[in-house]
Amino acid sequence: MKAVVNFAPQPHSVEMREIPVPEIGETDVLVAVRAVGICGSDLHQFTGNHSWKVNYPVVLGHEFGGIVAKAGARVQGFSEGDRIVSETAAVIDPDSPFTRQGLYNLDPNRLGFGYGVNGAMTEFVKVPQRCLHHIPVTLAFETAALTEPCCVAYNAVCVNSRLRPGDSVAILGPGPIGLLCALMARLAGAGHVVVIGIPADTRRLEVAKQVGADTTLGGKGEDVGAWVKEFGDGYGLDLVIDAAGVSATLKTAMEIVRPGGQITKVGWGPQPLNFSLDPLVQKAVTLQGSFSHNWPIWEKVIGLLASGRLSMDLILNRISPLADWRPAFEDMHSGRIVKGVLTP
Ligand SMILES: [Zn+2]
């Protein structure tokens, strides 16, 4: 079968290869992939500027939906023909203290599809039964493939942050996760939502407006600090979601958060920082990280997508056959599209 394989750490070490259909174990299913989302992390591995360990060669892709093509002898609750999406924690230790709390997403030893084990940018992928969730026939595979990034946003906005109706929210970084966080903040009853980017984000900031941001800043180099002083009582925003892929945006987050407010960091980058964290102390800010997602979040997000309350219409801008992976990657990398999906 054809697969988009990342074979080395050097930039652009990705190519289409012919690989065998995987063998499955007793508690696995073989999924026929119908749609697989392109994630920022796939792009980071493509450009070779990722900060995690990759088991080369590996098939890319961890945001996917498809049909059960074959179920192992001990699989329960899923059978041939079922429509499913899959979580990303392909290998976990069932006895780790995190797994026992349902927080397998936080186990530092877990391995995910697309970097630790072969992912879904191919025709068939081996998936343990515990990763699977059923999806209704009304939910298209192309939309369902975006369940995973929606779960990242749900965890950041609705689980790790404490957002009350009417709270003002700033989102740093209008990439896919930032825009999904804006949608989630809207669903959760946020008051004023402001999405902040840089001039290269012009296109994505337009999308931010369309998905419900009240204000967008940074596309024309606007002074964010000056805007915040003019906003409301001038003391800053209740919640800042930092979805930019660098650490340095924490400085902006500390500047614009309200005393007693919260910062949730969901975007990451390995670069070191050289500024003071004093505003965290002086403003008594709650700073929290948010990483990945777990089973209950998947069930909630599938329900939101299936009901249409959470719409991907403005986020999903390109559906391409697997063979066109490269132009799709490039379109997303350049910000011409927010999110692309490949259909093997
Ligand atoms: Zn992803």
Side-chain angles (χ1 to χ4, degrees):
M1 60 180 189
K2 297 233 179 300
V4 179
V5 175
N6 182 197
F7 55 87
Q10 286 76 33
H12 303 106
S13 298
V14 175
E15 65 185 14
M16 189 73 105
R17 284 188 180 178
E18 197 68 37
I19 62 164
V21 174
E23 299 284 335
I24 60 165
E26 286 190 317
T27 55
D28 300 323
V29 303
L30 187 67
V31 173
V33 182
R34 286 289 186 269
V36 50
I38 302 166
C39 180
S41 63
D42 296 311
L43 298 178
H44 281 303
Q45 283 176 232
F46 176 55
T47 54
N49 65 349
H50 56 284
S51 50
W52 51 90
K53 192 179 165 289
V54 177
N55 281 333
Y56 301 107
V58 73
V59 178
L60 290 174
H62 60 268
E63 305 177 352
F64 62 101
I67 292 175
V68 175
K70 194 159 105 187
R74 286 172 52 218
V75 168
Q76 290 184 336
F78 292 89
S79 49
E80 222 178 290
D82 285 4
R83 305 171 89 253
I84 58 89
V85 287
S86 169
E87 293 188 32
T88 53
V91 179
I92 59 170
D93 172 2
D95 295 322
S96 96
F98 307 102
T99 304
R100 285 171 177 239
Q101 291 177 77
L103 295 175
Y104 46 86
N105 54 315
L106 303 184
D107 185 340
N109 297 314
R110 73 165 202 157
L111 292 178
F113 293 109
Y115 70 90
V117 303
N118 278 341
M121 288 191 184
T122 182
E123 292 160 59
F124 295 96
V125 58
K126 178 181 100 164
V127 179
Q129 180 208 308
R130 67 172 168 77
C131 289
L132 299 174
H133 294 259
H134 286 289
I135 56 168
V137 279
T138 47
L139 183 55
F141 286 117
E142 291 82 358
T143 307
L146 302 193
T147 308
E148 195 270 342
C150 290
C151 289
V152 171
Y154 188 102
N155 198 13
V157 176
C158 307
V159 179
N160 285 317
S161 307
R162 286 159 303 281
L163 175 61
R164 283 180 292 205
D167 280 354
S168 53
V169 179
I171 292 162
L172 303 180
I177 296 298
L179 293 171
L180 293 174
C181 285
L183 273 168
M184 233 26 110
R186 270 279 152 265
L187 272 179
H192 200 97
V193 173
V194 51
V195 176
I196 301 166
I198 55 175
D201 294 322
T202 317
R203 168 85 194 92
R204 292 161 158 188
L205 289 169
E206 270 167 40
V207 179
K209 270 263 162 74
Q210 292 162 2
V211 300
D214 299 286
T215 304
T216 58
L217 292 174
K220 299 189 184 76
E222 298 95 329
D223 183 340
V224 173
W227 181 87
V228 170
K229 282 201 180 69
E230 295 296 313
F231 170 71
D233 59 13
Y235 288 114
L237 291 108
D238 294 304
L239 169 63
V240 181
I241 305 277
D242 183 351
V246 290
S247 298
T249 43
L250 181 60
K251 192 157 190 267
T252 308
M254 291 191 303
E255 271 163 33
I256 66 176
V257 71
R258 194 176 178 77
Q262 308 163 60
I263 299 171
T264 302
K265 194 138 179 53
V266 60
W268 54 348
Q271 301 81 4
L273 300 174
N274 64 344
F275 54 79
S276 164
L277 298 182
D278 282 358
L280 278 187
V281 179
Q282 194 178 28
K283 291 184 172 180
V285 170
T286 305
L287 169 65
Q288 55 239 338
S290 186
F291 181 67
S292 195
H293 31 67
N294 61 359
W295 191 90
I297 297 176
W298 278 73
E299 288 294 304
K300 291 274 197 285
V301 167
I302 290 166
L304 289 169
L305 287 170
S307 69
R309 285 193 175 85
L310 178 61
S311 166
M312 293 299 103
D313 289 356
L314 297 160
I315 303 289
L316 174 53
N317 312 129
R318 181 179 173 139
I319 298 172
S320 310
L322 194 64
D324 289 348
W325 67 272
R326 190 184 293 270
F329 273 41
E330 280 161 1
D331 265 8
M332 216 176 121
H333 192 56
S334 68
R336 267 194 297 277
I337 59 168
V338 175
K339 194 81 184 169
V341 160
L342 303 173
T343 51

